[in-house]
Amino acid sequence: MDSAPALLTSYKMGQFNLAHRVVLAPLTRCRAYGNVPQPAHMTLYYCQRATPGGFLISEACAVSETARGSQDVPGLWADEQVEAWKPIVDAVHATGAVFFAQLWHAGRASLSEWQPNGQAPVSSTDKSADIYPVPRRLETEEILHIVDDFRISARNAIRAGFDGVEIHAANGYLFDQFMKDGTNDRDDAYGGTLENRCRFTAEVVAAVAAEVGADRVGIRLSPFTDYIDCSDSDPETLALHVIRHILNPIGMLYCHMLEPRMRVNPDDGKLTLPHMLLPFRKAFHGTFIVCGGYDREEGDAAIANGYGDLVAYGRLFIANPDLPRRFARNAELNKYDRSTFYTSDPVIGYVDYPFLDQL
């Protein structure tokens, strides 16, 4: 009898016993009306994608009103949001799955209409990016207030029943705006040197770990990406600094890292994964999660070759709520509809993708 594909083997992530290596990536879906989770349809969405011993990471949850980077994203800064999350988390736990909340601050990647009183979004800089308005540069003394927002939201996540939290330090949002030298133009203790640019990240990691325990904390990083005009001149050195000097000393549970954007292979014209995360996998002491354009075969090879411990899937998991089962059977996958990723309909493009037994 053939052994199970590497993706479908069990794994122990700290105190959590996982039945397989297929992770639901954090995915903004814009269905939390008024920034309050909606148990009626969000429970169904997450439970469709939950399996006994599976690992799910929630959509990005804003840590404050100023943190919002999209319309109708959930928050974890208010009691009303905590109470609304509770039945969703309870239902996911009833399936036997592990559920973490992702904590998020968009920084300058926000519109004034999503900010309190229509004010400018805040950032490490006053340089604007892409379609977004000119941000307001945070004063030095204000930064610790945002650190505290993450600490309080982490506590709120545990109050809501989540097993842990993931700090969203990727994709060009506030952490990247501080860490990457293409954006950070500060001359205070949070700018200039590599250590200073990473100070905000270090302070948030320390505060969140102290609040809920490092064994319940993960982080998402994307050193190679240039989302929202946010890039670094030496991304490998940056990420290795974060891992060696911030994450490892505190005993961070996991590091969830994005591959660089997929590239076109000149030989066959197909998109291929760059596979540039190995130095970070070797440097990090905890569970290493890889993400970004993986299919079943790539994910299986990543686990089999020791390139990662777990593989997070986004678009494929949106369109295939029973993705681990399809991978186990090597079954055909539903195609995702990108046009419904961020719409507000509680059914269409959200909970209406068919399962294998419905085909």
Side-chain angles (χ1 to χ4, degrees):
M1 182 176 178
D2 293 337
S3 60
L7 267 178
L8 280 306
T9 57
S10 62
Y11 177 77
K12 186 171 176 59
M13 181 179 71
Q15 62 186 295
F16 305 105
N17 294 310
L18 306 181
H20 57 78
R21 317 291 186 102
V22 182
V23 179
L24 173 67
L27 299 160
T28 292
R29 303 308 310 274
C30 300
R31 270 84 167 182
Y33 312 135
N35 307 122
V36 178
Q38 303 292 305
H41 56 265
M42 289 174 65
T43 297
L44 178 58
Y45 171 77
Y46 282 110
C47 285
Q48 283 182 336
R49 289 154 182 81
T51 54
F55 180 35
L56 285 67
I57 307 169
S58 82
E59 59 208 279
C61 299
V63 298
S64 69
E65 288 186 281
T66 66
R68 296 172 292 189
S70 295
Q71 184 175 357
D72 292 330
V73 292
L76 269 169
W77 73 82
D79 286 343
E80 179 186 12
Q81 296 160 344
V82 172
E83 292 304 314
W85 269 118
K86 285 181 178 179
I88 302 170
V89 177
D90 287 348
V92 170
H93 282 155
T95 71
V98 176
F99 200 12
F100 273 43
Q102 190 189 61
L103 306 181
W104 176 49
H105 196 304
R108 68 177 181 173
S110 181
L111 301 178
S112 296
E113 65 194 70
W114 299 328
Q115 295 294 312
N117 305 314
Q119 65 192 34
V122 297
S123 179
S124 64
T125 180
D126 57 9
K127 296 184 294 186
S128 60
D130 199 26
I131 64 171
Y132 301 106
V134 175
R136 180 177 68 80
R137 184 191 303 269
L138 285 161
E139 299 293 337
T140 305
E141 60 270 16
E142 290 182 284
I143 295 171
L144 288 180
H145 294 300
I146 296 182
V147 173
D148 206 42
D149 288 337
F150 275 89
R151 181 187 63 79
I152 293 169
S153 291
R155 179 205 301 164
N156 286 342
I158 301 305
R159 285 177 54 211
F162 284 102
D163 298 293
V165 297
E166 175 178 288
I167 298 166
H168 191 353
N171 293 35
Y173 295 120
L174 187 60
F175 289 85
D176 265 355
Q177 292 160 34
F178 273 95
M179 288 191 290
K180 293 186 174 179
D181 60 16
T183 305
N184 188 328
D185 56 359
R186 303 179 71 90
D187 59 6
D188 62 0
Y190 293 89
T193 66
L194 177 60
E195 182 179 8
N196 281 359
R197 286 186 281 115
C198 293
R199 187 181 304 277
F200 172 63
T201 300
E203 290 175 345
V204 171
V205 166
V208 170
E211 185 66 38
V212 304
D215 59 343
R216 290 187 173 200
V217 182
I219 192 168
R220 193 179 213 216
L221 299 169
S222 58
F224 294 111
T225 63
D226 57 359
Y227 294 122
I228 320 170
D229 298 341
C230 209
S231 61
D232 193 80
S233 61
D234 191 351
E236 183 168 328
T237 297
L238 170 63
L240 287 173
H241 176 87
V242 172
I243 289 171
R244 290 169 176 163
H245 298 282
I246 299 174
L247 308 186
N248 284 343
I250 212 162
M252 179 77 77
L253 176 65
Y254 72 78
C255 181
H256 176 189
M257 196 168 284
L258 275 68
E259 294 279 1
R261 292 177 185 269
M262 296 181 76
R263 300 171 181 172
V264 177
N265 188 320
D267 296 328
D268 57 17
K270 295 180 181 178
L271 289 172
T272 59
L273 281 171
H275 292 120
M276 293 175 64
L277 305 183
L278 189 58
F280 315 124
R281 196 276 191 275
K282 290 181 176 179
F284 184 61
H285 295 167
T287 293
F288 195 75
I289 306 175
V290 296
C291 185
Y294 281 83
D295 57 16
R296 179 184 184 272
E297 289 70 28
E298 289 273 9
D300 206 53
I303 302 301
N305 297 332
Y307 183 75
D309 298 306
L310 307 172
V311 183
Y313 291 87
R315 291 164 293 181
L316 295 186
F317 231 141
I318 287 176
N320 299 273
D322 53 352
L323 188 64
R325 184 180 174 202
R326 289 176 187 258
F327 280 172
R329 298 187 177 188
N330 200 16
E332 185 177 352
L333 300 181
N334 300 323
K335 291 181 171 55
Y336 55 81
D337 181 358
R338 191 181 295 273
S339 70
T340 61
F341 283 176
Y342 308 113
T343 55
S344 60
D345 193 289
V347 176
I348 298 173
Y350 192 61
V351 296
D352 61 343
Y353 284 103
F355 288 72
L356 268 177
D357 57 11
Q358 295 173 322
L359 296 176

